[in-house]
Amino acid sequence: MSSPQPSVFQPSVSIVVPVRNEADNIVPLIEEIGAALDGRWAYEIIYVNDGSTDATGERLGAVMKQRDNLRQLRHAKSGGQSAAVRSGVRAARGAIVATLDGDGQNNPAFLPDLIAAVENGSKVGLAAGQRVGRKDTGFKKFQSRVANGVRNAILKDGTRDTGCGLKAFRREVFLMMPYFDGLHRFLPALVRREGFEIAYVDVIDRPRHSGVSNYGFFDRLWIGIMDLVGVWWLIRRKKPTPDVTEVKA
Protein backbone atom coordinates (compact mmCIF):
# COMPACT_ATOMS: atom_id res chain seq x y z
CA MET A 1 0.00 0.00 0.00
CA SER A 2 1.48 3.34 -1.02
CA SER A 3 1.97 6.01 1.62
CA PRO A 4 -0.31 9.06 1.42
CA GLN A 5 1.10 12.02 -0.49
CA PRO A 6 1.61 15.25 1.46
CA SER A 7 -1.11 17.80 0.81
CA VAL A 8 -0.20 20.76 -1.35
CA PHE A 9 -0.95 24.17 0.13
CA GLN A 10 -3.71 25.81 -1.91
CA PRO A 11 -3.89 29.57 -1.30
CA SER A 12 -6.88 31.66 -2.33
CA VAL A 13 -4.66 34.73 -2.85
CA SER A 14 -1.19 35.10 -4.36
CA ILE A 15 0.91 38.21 -3.70
CA VAL A 16 3.38 38.88 -6.54
CA VAL A 17 6.33 41.18 -5.89
CA PRO A 18 8.76 41.96 -8.76
CA VAL A 19 12.21 42.98 -7.49
CA ARG A 20 15.63 43.81 -8.83
CA ASN A 21 18.45 44.63 -6.40
CA GLU A 22 16.21 45.30 -3.40
CA ALA A 23 18.09 43.29 -0.76
CA ASP A 24 17.59 45.77 2.09
CA ASN A 25 13.85 46.03 1.44
CA ILE A 26 13.09 42.29 1.47
CA VAL A 27 12.56 41.59 5.16
CA PRO A 28 10.63 44.78 6.12
CA LEU A 29 8.18 44.40 3.24
CA ILE A 30 7.51 40.69 3.86
CA GLU A 31 6.81 41.46 7.51
CA GLU A 32 4.33 44.16 6.48
CA ILE A 33 2.59 41.82 4.03
CA GLY A 34 2.22 39.28 6.81
CA ALA A 35 0.83 41.88 9.20
CA ALA A 36 -1.77 42.91 6.62
CA LEU A 37 -2.91 39.43 5.55
CA ASP A 38 -2.26 36.90 8.33
CA GLY A 39 -5.52 35.40 9.55
CA ARG A 40 -7.58 36.94 6.72
CA TRP A 41 -6.78 34.78 3.68
CA ALA A 42 -4.83 31.65 2.88
CA TYR A 43 -2.10 33.33 0.84
CA GLU A 44 1.29 32.87 -0.71
CA ILE A 45 3.97 35.47 -1.48
CA ILE A 46 5.83 35.10 -4.77
CA TYR A 47 8.93 37.23 -5.17
CA VAL A 48 10.16 37.41 -8.75
CA ASN A 49 13.89 38.09 -8.55
CA ASP A 50 14.42 39.86 -11.87
CA GLY A 51 18.12 39.22 -12.46
CA SER A 52 19.34 40.84 -9.23
CA THR A 53 23.10 41.18 -8.78
CA ASP A 54 23.04 42.06 -5.07
CA ALA A 55 22.04 39.92 -2.07
CA THR A 56 18.32 39.88 -2.94
CA GLY A 57 18.33 36.14 -3.63
CA GLU A 58 20.19 35.31 -0.41
CA ARG A 59 17.85 37.46 1.71
CA LEU A 60 14.83 35.77 0.18
CA GLY A 61 16.39 32.35 0.74
CA ALA A 62 16.88 33.11 4.43
CA VAL A 63 13.26 34.21 4.89
CA MET A 64 11.99 31.17 2.98
CA LYS A 65 13.40 28.98 5.75
CA GLN A 66 11.08 30.76 8.18
CA ARG A 67 8.00 31.21 5.96
CA ASP A 68 6.61 28.22 4.11
CA ASN A 69 4.25 30.45 2.09
CA LEU A 70 7.13 32.42 0.51
CA ARG A 71 8.33 31.43 -2.96
CA GLN A 72 11.13 32.86 -5.10
CA LEU A 73 11.28 32.82 -8.88
CA ARG A 74 14.47 34.01 -10.54
CA HIS A 75 15.09 35.44 -13.98
CA ALA A 76 18.60 34.62 -15.21
CA LYS A 77 18.77 38.20 -16.49
CA SER A 78 16.47 41.16 -16.03
CA GLY A 79 13.38 41.09 -18.23
CA GLY A 80 11.70 44.18 -16.81
CA GLN A 81 8.73 44.74 -14.56
CA SER A 82 6.03 43.45 -16.91
CA ALA A 83 7.95 40.22 -17.50
CA ALA A 84 8.46 39.76 -13.75
CA VAL A 85 4.77 40.29 -13.00
CA ARG A 86 3.80 37.86 -15.74
CA SER A 87 6.17 35.18 -14.41
CA GLY A 88 4.66 35.58 -10.96
CA VAL A 89 1.05 35.42 -12.16
CA ARG A 90 1.71 32.34 -14.27
CA ALA A 91 3.22 30.57 -11.24
CA ALA A 92 0.49 31.75 -8.84
CA ARG A 93 -1.80 29.19 -7.21
CA GLY A 94 -4.42 31.67 -6.00
CA ALA A 95 -7.50 32.64 -8.02
CA ILE A 96 -6.90 36.27 -6.99
CA VAL A 97 -3.49 37.86 -7.50
CA ALA A 98 -2.33 41.09 -5.91
CA THR A 99 0.83 42.95 -6.91
CA LEU A 100 2.98 45.59 -5.28
CA ASP A 101 6.41 47.07 -5.92
CA GLY A 102 9.31 45.69 -3.92
CA ASP A 103 10.84 49.02 -2.87
CA GLY A 104 8.46 49.70 0.03
CA GLN A 105 6.68 52.69 -1.54
CA ASN A 106 3.50 50.62 -1.84
CA ASN A 107 2.05 50.06 1.63
CA PRO A 108 0.78 46.46 2.06
CA ALA A 109 -1.85 47.77 4.50
CA PHE A 110 -3.99 48.55 1.43
CA LEU A 111 -3.86 44.97 0.10
CA PRO A 112 -6.99 43.81 2.00
CA ASP A 113 -9.13 46.57 0.44
CA LEU A 114 -7.92 45.69 -3.05
CA ILE A 115 -8.38 41.95 -2.61
CA ALA A 116 -11.85 42.39 -1.08
CA ALA A 117 -12.92 44.63 -3.96
CA VAL A 118 -12.21 41.80 -6.42
CA GLU A 119 -13.49 39.04 -4.17
CA ASN A 120 -16.81 40.75 -3.47
CA GLY A 121 -17.45 42.21 -6.93
CA SER A 122 -18.78 39.53 -9.25
CA LYS A 123 -18.07 41.68 -12.32
CA VAL A 124 -14.84 43.27 -11.04
CA GLY A 125 -11.79 41.98 -12.88
CA LEU A 126 -9.28 44.48 -11.49
CA ALA A 127 -8.94 46.65 -8.39
CA ALA A 128 -6.42 49.41 -9.09
CA GLY A 129 -4.63 51.46 -6.45
CA GLN A 130 -4.71 55.23 -7.08
CA ARG A 131 -1.93 57.09 -5.31
CA VAL A 132 -2.54 60.16 -3.17
CA GLY A 133 0.23 62.12 -1.48
CA ARG A 134 2.89 60.81 -3.85
CA LYS A 135 6.49 60.97 -2.64
CA ASP A 136 8.13 61.35 -6.07
CA THR A 137 9.81 64.57 -7.18
CA GLY A 138 7.69 67.28 -8.75
CA PHE A 139 9.24 66.57 -12.15
CA LYS A 140 8.35 62.88 -11.97
CA LYS A 141 4.81 63.66 -10.88
CA PHE A 142 4.47 66.11 -13.79
CA GLN A 143 5.65 63.48 -16.26
CA SER A 144 3.24 60.93 -14.83
CA ARG A 145 0.33 63.38 -15.17
CA VAL A 146 1.21 64.02 -18.81
CA ALA A 147 1.63 60.32 -19.60
CA ASN A 148 -1.60 59.35 -17.85
CA GLY A 149 -3.44 62.23 -19.52
CA VAL A 150 -2.34 61.20 -23.01
CA ARG A 151 -3.18 57.56 -22.35
CA ASN A 152 -6.62 58.37 -20.92
CA ALA A 153 -7.46 60.72 -23.79
CA ILE A 154 -6.80 57.94 -26.31
CA LEU A 155 -7.99 54.84 -24.44
CA LYS A 156 -10.67 56.49 -22.27
CA ASP A 157 -10.16 53.92 -19.53
CA GLY A 158 -11.15 56.31 -16.72
CA THR A 159 -7.97 55.65 -14.73
CA ARG A 160 -5.97 58.59 -13.40
CA ASP A 161 -2.96 56.56 -12.22
CA THR A 162 -1.89 53.37 -14.00
CA GLY A 163 1.63 53.48 -12.56
CA CYS A 164 0.68 52.39 -9.04
CA GLY A 165 2.05 48.91 -8.33
CA LEU A 166 -0.78 48.09 -5.91
CA LYS A 167 -3.33 46.08 -7.89
CA ALA A 168 -5.49 43.02 -7.41
CA PHE A 169 -7.11 41.02 -10.18
CA ARG A 170 -8.52 37.66 -11.13
CA ARG A 171 -5.70 35.45 -12.35
CA GLU A 172 -7.78 34.05 -15.20
CA VAL A 173 -8.54 37.58 -16.43
CA PHE A 174 -4.85 38.55 -16.46
CA LEU A 175 -3.97 35.46 -18.45
CA MET A 176 -6.49 36.50 -21.13
CA MET A 177 -4.40 39.58 -21.84
CA PRO A 178 -2.02 39.70 -24.82
CA TYR A 179 1.47 39.93 -23.33
CA PHE A 180 3.86 42.77 -24.22
CA ASP A 181 6.42 44.87 -22.38
CA GLY A 182 4.55 47.53 -20.42
CA LEU A 183 1.38 45.44 -20.10
CA HIS A 184 0.98 46.34 -16.41
CA ARG A 185 0.35 49.99 -17.35
CA PHE A 186 -2.52 49.12 -19.68
CA LEU A 187 -4.38 46.67 -17.45
CA PRO A 188 -7.46 48.88 -16.85
CA ALA A 189 -8.12 49.35 -20.57
CA LEU A 190 -7.49 45.70 -21.39
CA VAL A 191 -9.60 44.40 -18.49
CA ARG A 192 -12.48 46.61 -19.65
CA ARG A 193 -11.96 45.19 -23.13
CA GLU A 194 -12.76 41.73 -21.76
CA GLY A 195 -16.06 42.99 -20.32
CA PHE A 196 -15.02 43.33 -16.66
CA GLU A 197 -15.38 46.32 -14.35
CA ILE A 198 -12.61 48.21 -12.56
CA ALA A 199 -12.69 49.09 -8.86
CA TYR A 200 -10.53 51.99 -7.66
CA VAL A 201 -8.95 52.23 -4.21
CA ASP A 202 -7.12 55.34 -2.99
CA VAL A 203 -3.76 54.39 -1.49
CA ILE A 204 -1.21 56.55 0.31
CA ASP A 205 2.23 56.66 -1.24
CA ARG A 206 5.36 56.72 0.93
CA PRO A 207 9.13 56.90 0.44
CA ARG A 208 10.97 53.68 -0.42
CA HIS A 209 12.58 51.91 2.57
CA SER A 210 16.11 52.15 1.17
CA GLY A 211 18.13 52.23 -2.04
CA VAL A 212 17.24 53.76 -5.38
CA SER A 213 14.89 52.85 -8.22
CA ASN A 214 16.09 49.81 -10.14
CA TYR A 215 13.57 49.88 -12.95
CA GLY A 216 14.45 52.38 -15.63
CA PHE A 217 13.19 55.92 -15.82
CA PHE A 218 11.41 55.25 -19.10
CA ASP A 219 10.03 51.91 -17.87
CA ARG A 220 8.21 53.73 -15.10
CA LEU A 221 7.03 56.95 -16.70
CA TRP A 222 6.74 56.86 -20.46
CA ILE A 223 4.11 55.05 -22.46
CA GLY A 224 5.56 53.80 -25.73
CA ILE A 225 3.71 55.25 -28.69
CA MET A 226 3.60 51.89 -30.46
CA ASP A 227 2.17 50.19 -27.35
CA LEU A 228 -0.47 52.89 -26.97
CA VAL A 229 -1.50 52.59 -30.62
CA GLY A 230 -1.47 48.80 -30.33
CA VAL A 231 -3.77 48.77 -27.30
CA TRP A 232 -6.10 51.27 -29.00
CA TRP A 233 -6.23 48.94 -32.01
CA LEU A 234 -6.98 45.92 -29.83
CA ILE A 235 -9.87 47.74 -28.18
CA ARG A 236 -11.29 48.89 -31.50
CA ARG A 237 -11.09 45.38 -32.98
CA LYS A 238 -12.72 43.62 -30.04
CA LYS A 239 -15.88 41.72 -30.91
CA PRO A 240 -18.49 40.52 -28.39
CA THR A 241 -17.60 37.18 -26.86
CA PRO A 242 -20.12 34.56 -28.04
CA ASP A 243 -22.42 33.05 -25.42
CA VAL A 244 -21.44 29.38 -25.69
CA THR A 245 -23.40 26.40 -24.38
CA GLU A 246 -22.66 22.74 -24.95
CA VAL A 247 -25.44 20.73 -26.56
CA LYS A 248 -25.87 17.33 -24.93
CA ALA A 249 -27.03 14.25 -26.84
PDB file of all heavy atoms in Angstrom, residues 172-192:
ATOM      1  N   GLU A 172      -7.321  34.493 -13.882  1.00  0.00           N
ATOM      2  CA  GLU A 172      -7.776  34.052 -15.198  1.00  0.00           C
ATOM      3  C   GLU A 172      -7.966  35.234 -16.145  1.00  0.00           C
ATOM      4  O   GLU A 172      -7.754  35.108 -17.354  1.00  0.00           O
ATOM      5  CB  GLU A 172      -9.084  33.263 -15.071  1.00  0.00           C
ATOM      6  CG  GLU A 172     -10.248  34.065 -14.514  1.00  0.00           C
ATOM      7  CD  GLU A 172     -11.536  33.257 -14.463  1.00  0.00           C
ATOM      8  OE1 GLU A 172     -11.538  32.111 -14.957  1.00  0.00           O
ATOM      9  OE2 GLU A 172     -12.535  33.786 -13.921  1.00  0.00           O
ATOM     10  N   VAL A 173      -8.356  36.391 -15.597  1.00  0.00           N
ATOM     11  CA  VAL A 173      -8.536  37.579 -16.432  1.00  0.00           C
ATOM     12  C   VAL A 173      -7.179  38.074 -16.936  1.00  0.00           C
ATOM     13  O   VAL A 173      -7.019  38.413 -18.114  1.00  0.00           O
ATOM     14  CB  VAL A 173      -9.277  38.683 -15.667  1.00  0.00           C
ATOM     15  CG1 VAL A 173      -9.327  39.980 -16.470  1.00  0.00           C
ATOM     16  CG2 VAL A 173     -10.696  38.235 -15.329  1.00  0.00           C
ATOM     17  N   PHE A 174      -6.190  38.123 -16.053  1.00  0.00           N
ATOM     18  CA  PHE A 174      -4.853  38.554 -16.462  1.00  0.00           C
ATOM     19  C   PHE A 174      -4.311  37.675 -17.580  1.00  0.00           C
ATOM     20  O   PHE A 174      -3.713  38.170 -18.543  1.00  0.00           O
ATOM     21  CB  PHE A 174      -3.901  38.525 -15.271  1.00  0.00           C
ATOM     22  CG  PHE A 174      -2.509  39.009 -15.591  1.00  0.00           C
ATOM     23  CD1 PHE A 174      -2.158  40.333 -15.387  1.00  0.00           C
ATOM     24  CD2 PHE A 174      -1.547  38.147 -16.097  1.00  0.00           C
ATOM     25  CE1 PHE A 174      -0.869  40.787 -15.685  1.00  0.00           C
ATOM     26  CE2 PHE A 174      -0.269  38.580 -16.398  1.00  0.00           C
ATOM     27  CZ  PHE A 174       0.074  39.903 -16.195  1.00  0.00           C
ATOM     28  N   LEU A 175      -4.516  36.377 -17.461  1.00  0.00           N
ATOM     29  CA  LEU A 175      -3.968  35.456 -18.449  1.00  0.00           C
ATOM     30  C   LEU A 175      -4.694  35.524 -19.792  1.00  0.00           C
ATOM     31  O   LEU A 175      -4.225  34.955 -20.775  1.00  0.00           O
ATOM     32  CB  LEU A 175      -3.990  34.025 -17.901  1.00  0.00           C
ATOM     33  CG  LEU A 175      -3.072  33.789 -16.690  1.00  0.00           C
ATOM     34  CD1 LEU A 175      -3.207  32.367 -16.178  1.00  0.00           C
ATOM     35  CD2 LEU A 175      -1.615  34.102 -17.022  1.00  0.00           C
ATOM     36  N   MET A 176      -5.830  36.233 -19.840  1.00  0.00           N
ATOM     37  CA  MET A 176      -6.493  36.495 -21.125  1.00  0.00           C
ATOM     38  C   MET A 176      -5.772  37.582 -21.921  1.00  0.00           C
ATOM     39  O   MET A 176      -5.938  37.675 -23.134  1.00  0.00           O
ATOM     40  CB  MET A 176      -7.932  36.985 -20.896  1.00  0.00           C
ATOM     41  CG  MET A 176      -8.883  35.997 -20.298  1.00  0.00           C
ATOM     42  SD  MET A 176     -10.492  36.821 -20.026  1.00  0.00           S
ATOM     43  CE  MET A 176     -11.389  35.526 -19.186  1.00  0.00           C
ATOM     44  N   MET A 177      -4.992  38.404 -21.218  1.00  0.00           N
ATOM     45  CA  MET A 177      -4.400  39.575 -21.842  1.00  0.00           C
ATOM     46  C   MET A 177      -3.287  39.198 -22.814  1.00  0.00           C
ATOM     47  O   MET A 177      -2.489  38.294 -22.537  1.00  0.00           O
ATOM     48  CB  MET A 177      -3.783  40.515 -20.783  1.00  0.00           C
ATOM     49  CG  MET A 177      -4.707  40.954 -19.660  1.00  0.00           C
ATOM     50  SD  MET A 177      -6.048  41.993 -20.188  1.00  0.00           S
ATOM     51  CE  MET A 177      -7.423  40.852 -20.050  1.00  0.00           C
ATOM     52  N   PRO A 178      -3.183  39.885 -23.942  1.00  0.00           N
ATOM     53  CA  PRO A 178      -2.020  39.698 -24.815  1.00  0.00           C
ATOM     54  C   PRO A 178      -0.788  40.258 -24.117  1.00  0.00           C
ATOM     55  O   PRO A 178      -0.817  41.378 -23.609  1.00  0.00           O
ATOM     56  CB  PRO A 178      -2.379  40.510 -26.061  1.00  0.00           C
ATOM     57  CG  PRO A 178      -3.344  41.546 -25.576  1.00  0.00           C
ATOM     58  CD  PRO A 178      -4.114  40.907 -24.459  1.00  0.00           C
ATOM     59  N   TYR A 179       0.292  39.476 -24.069  1.00  0.00           N
ATOM     60  CA  TYR A 179       1.475  39.933 -23.334  1.00  0.00           C
ATOM     61  C   TYR A 179       2.368  40.816 -24.195  1.00  0.00           C
ATOM     62  O   TYR A 179       2.626  40.517 -25.368  1.00  0.00           O
ATOM     63  CB  TYR A 179       2.298  38.738 -22.825  1.00  0.00           C
ATOM     64  CG  TYR A 179       3.603  39.190 -22.224  1.00  0.00           C
ATOM     65  CD1 TYR A 179       3.607  39.878 -21.012  1.00  0.00           C
ATOM     66  CD2 TYR A 179       4.803  39.002 -22.888  1.00  0.00           C
ATOM     67  CE1 TYR A 179       4.790  40.340 -20.468  1.00  0.00           C
ATOM     68  CE2 TYR A 179       5.993  39.463 -22.348  1.00  0.00           C
ATOM     69  CZ  TYR A 179       5.984  40.134 -21.143  1.00  0.00           C
ATOM     70  OH  TYR A 179       7.145  40.612 -20.608  1.00  0.00           O
ATOM     71  N   PHE A 180       2.843  41.911 -23.609  1.00  0.00           N
ATOM     72  CA  PHE A 180       3.857  42.769 -24.219  1.00  0.00           C
ATOM     73  C   PHE A 180       4.521  43.560 -23.109  1.00  0.00           C
ATOM     74  O   PHE A 180       3.979  43.682 -22.003  1.00  0.00           O
ATOM     75  CB  PHE A 180       3.245  43.716 -25.271  1.00  0.00           C
ATOM     76  CG  PHE A 180       2.123  44.577 -24.740  1.00  0.00           C
ATOM     77  CD1 PHE A 180       2.356  45.835 -24.205  1.00  0.00           C
ATOM     78  CD2 PHE A 180       0.812  44.115 -24.783  1.00  0.00           C
ATOM     79  CE1 PHE A 180       1.326  46.617 -23.716  1.00  0.00           C
ATOM     80  CE2 PHE A 180      -0.231  44.896 -24.299  1.00  0.00           C
ATOM     81  CZ  PHE A 180       0.031  46.152 -23.767  1.00  0.00           C
ATOM     82  N   ASP A 181       5.708  44.088 -23.382  1.00  0.00           N
ATOM     83  CA  ASP A 181       6.419  44.872 -22.381  1.00  0.00           C
ATOM     84  C   ASP A 181       5.629  46.134 -22.086  1.00  0.00           C
ATOM     85  O   ASP A 181       5.235  46.866 -22.996  1.00  0.00           O
ATOM     86  CB  ASP A 181       7.814  45.234 -22.895  1.00  0.00           C
ATOM     87  CG  ASP A 181       8.676  45.842 -21.798  1.00  0.00           C
ATOM     88  OD1 ASP A 181       8.458  45.503 -20.624  1.00  0.00           O
ATOM     89  OD2 ASP A 181       9.558  46.655 -22.127  1.00  0.00           O
ATOM     90  N   GLY A 182       5.370  46.389 -20.805  1.00  0.00           N
ATOM     91  CA  GLY A 182       4.546  47.529 -20.423  1.00  0.00           C
ATOM     92  C   GLY A 182       3.090  47.175 -20.196  1.00  0.00           C
ATOM     93  O   GLY A 182       2.271  48.052 -19.919  1.00  0.00           O
ATOM     94  N   LEU A 183       2.762  45.888 -20.265  1.00  0.00           N
ATOM     95  CA  LEU A 183       1.381  45.437 -20.095  1.00  0.00           C
ATOM     96  C   LEU A 183       0.769  45.960 -18.800  1.00  0.00           C
ATOM     97  O   LEU A 183      -0.409  46.352 -18.774  1.00  0.00           O
ATOM     98  CB  LEU A 183       1.342  43.909 -20.116  1.00  0.00           C
ATOM     99  CG  LEU A 183       0.053  43.224 -19.653  1.00  0.00           C
ATOM    100  CD1 LEU A 183      -1.100  43.575 -20.590  1.00  0.00           C
ATOM    101  CD2 LEU A 183       0.242  41.716 -19.567  1.00  0.00           C
ATOM    102  N   HIS A 184       1.549  45.970 -17.710  1.00  0.00           N
ATOM    103  CA  HIS A 184       0.984  46.338 -16.413  1.00  0.00           C
ATOM    104  C   HIS A 184       0.411  47.750 -16.397  1.00  0.00           C
ATOM    105  O   HIS A 184      -0.451  48.056 -15.575  1.00  0.00           O
ATOM    106  CB  HIS A 184       2.037  46.172 -15.312  1.00  0.00           C
ATOM    107  CG  HIS A 184       3.241  47.048 -15.454  1.00  0.00           C
ATOM    108  ND1 HIS A 184       4.206  46.838 -16.426  1.00  0.00           N
ATOM    109  CD2 HIS A 184       3.652  48.139 -14.763  1.00  0.00           C
ATOM    110  CE1 HIS A 184       5.152  47.750 -16.303  1.00  0.00           C
ATOM    111  NE2 HIS A 184       4.835  48.554 -15.314  1.00  0.00           N
ATOM    112  N   ARG A 185       0.870  48.624 -17.311  1.00  0.00           N
ATOM    113  CA  ARG A 185       0.350  49.991 -17.351  1.00  0.00           C
ATOM    114  C   ARG A 185      -0.941  50.107 -18.159  1.00  0.00           C
ATOM    115  O   ARG A 185      -1.588  51.150 -18.129  1.00  0.00           O
ATOM    116  CB  ARG A 185       1.400  50.935 -17.926  1.00  0.00           C
ATOM    117  CG  ARG A 185       2.555  51.182 -16.960  1.00  0.00           C
ATOM    118  CD  ARG A 185       3.463  52.279 -17.453  1.00  0.00           C
ATOM    119  NE  ARG A 185       4.456  52.602 -16.437  1.00  0.00           N
ATOM    120  CZ  ARG A 185       4.265  53.454 -15.437  1.00  0.00           C
ATOM    121  NH1 ARG A 185       3.110  54.067 -15.327  1.00  0.00           N
ATOM    122  NH2 ARG A 185       5.209  53.693 -14.556  1.00  0.00           N
ATOM    123  N   PHE A 186      -1.311  49.077 -18.864  1.00  0.00           N
ATOM    124  CA  PHE A 186      -2.522  49.123 -19.679  1.00  0.00           C
ATOM    125  C   PHE A 186      -3.611  48.197 -19.152  1.00  0.00           C
ATOM    126  O   PHE A 186      -4.622  47.986 -19.824  1.00  0.00           O
ATOM    127  CB  PHE A 186      -2.190  48.738 -21.126  1.00  0.00           C
ATOM    128  CG  PHE A 186      -1.311  49.734 -21.829  1.00  0.00           C
ATOM    129  CD1 PHE A 186       0.065  49.556 -21.884  1.00  0.00           C
ATOM    130  CD2 PHE A 186      -1.852  50.858 -22.434  1.00  0.00           C
ATOM    131  CE1 PHE A 186       0.880  50.470 -22.533  1.00  0.00           C
ATOM    132  CE2 PHE A 186      -1.040  51.778 -23.085  1.00  0.00           C
ATOM    133  CZ  PHE A 186       0.320  51.583 -23.135  1.00  0.00           C
ATOM    134  N   LEU A 187      -3.422  47.638 -17.970  1.00  0.00           N
ATOM    135  CA  LEU A 187      -4.378  46.671 -17.448  1.00  0.00           C
ATOM    136  C   LEU A 187      -5.810  47.208 -17.381  1.00  0.00           C
ATOM    137  O   LEU A 187      -6.750  46.495 -17.758  1.00  0.00           O
ATOM    138  CB  LEU A 187      -3.930  46.159 -16.077  1.00  0.00           C
ATOM    139  CG  LEU A 187      -2.857  45.073 -16.079  1.00  0.00           C
ATOM    140  CD1 LEU A 187      -2.495  44.692 -14.659  1.00  0.00           C
ATOM    141  CD2 LEU A 187      -3.321  43.838 -16.843  1.00  0.00           C
ATOM    142  N   PRO A 188      -6.057  48.429 -16.910  1.00  0.00           N
ATOM    143  CA  PRO A 188      -7.460  48.885 -16.847  1.00  0.00           C
ATOM    144  C   PRO A 188      -8.156  48.837 -18.205  1.00  0.00           C
ATOM    145  O   PRO A 188      -9.282  48.330 -18.314  1.00  0.00           O
ATOM    146  CB  PRO A 188      -7.338  50.317 -16.312  1.00  0.00           C
ATOM    147  CG  PRO A 188      -6.080  50.311 -15.505  1.00  0.00           C
ATOM    148  CD  PRO A 188      -5.147  49.417 -16.273  1.00  0.00           C
ATOM    149  N   ALA A 189      -7.500  49.342 -19.245  1.00  0.00           N
ATOM    150  CA  ALA A 189      -8.116  49.352 -20.570  1.00  0.00           C
ATOM    151  C   ALA A 189      -8.338  47.936 -21.083  1.00  0.00           C
ATOM    152  O   ALA A 189      -9.388  47.627 -21.668  1.00  0.00           O
ATOM    153  CB  ALA A 189      -7.245  50.142 -21.541  1.00  0.00           C
ATOM    154  N   LEU A 190      -7.375  47.048 -20.867  1.00  0.00           N
ATOM    155  CA  LEU A 190      -7.488  45.695 -21.386  1.00  0.00           C
ATOM    156  C   LEU A 190      -8.486  44.856 -20.596  1.00  0.00           C
ATOM    157  O   LEU A 190      -9.177  43.993 -21.154  1.00  0.00           O
ATOM    158  CB  LEU A 190      -6.116  45.026 -21.392  1.00  0.00           C
ATOM    159  CG  LEU A 190      -5.130  45.617 -22.401  1.00  0.00           C
ATOM    160  CD1 LEU A 190      -3.733  45.049 -22.195  1.00  0.00           C
ATOM    161  CD2 LEU A 190      -5.591  45.371 -23.836  1.00  0.00           C
ATOM    162  N   VAL A 191      -8.601  45.105 -19.291  1.00  0.00           N
ATOM    163  CA  VAL A 191      -9.604  44.402 -18.492  1.00  0.00           C
ATOM    164  C   VAL A 191     -11.007  44.833 -18.910  1.00  0.00           C
ATOM    165  O   VAL A 191     -11.924  44.013 -19.042  1.00  0.00           O
ATOM    166  CB  VAL A 191      -9.366  44.648 -16.989  1.00  0.00           C
ATOM    167  CG1 VAL A 191     -10.554  44.175 -16.152  1.00  0.00           C
ATOM    168  CG2 VAL A 191      -8.094  43.924 -16.527  1.00  0.00           C
ATOM    169  N   ARG A 192     -11.193  46.130 -19.145  1.00  0.00           N
ATOM    170  CA  ARG A 192     -12.485  46.608 -19.652  1.00  0.00           C
ATOM    171  C   ARG A 192     -12.794  45.970 -21.010  1.00  0.00           C
ATOM    172  O   ARG A 192     -13.949  45.655 -21.316  1.00  0.00           O
ATOM    173  CB  ARG A 192     -12.478  48.125 -19.784  1.00  0.00           C
ATOM    174  CG  ARG A 192     -12.553  48.879 -18.474  1.00  0.00           C
ATOM    175  CD  ARG A 192     -12.759  50.365 -18.729  1.00  0.00           C
ATOM    176  NE  ARG A 192     -12.612  51.142 -17.515  1.00  0.00           N
ATOM    177  CZ  ARG A 192     -13.566  51.282 -16.586  1.00  0.00           C
ATOM    178  NH1 ARG A 192     -14.732  50.683 -16.773  1.00  0.00           N
ATOM    179  NH2 ARG A 192     -13.361  52.010 -15.506  1.00  0.00           N
TER     180      ARG A 192
END
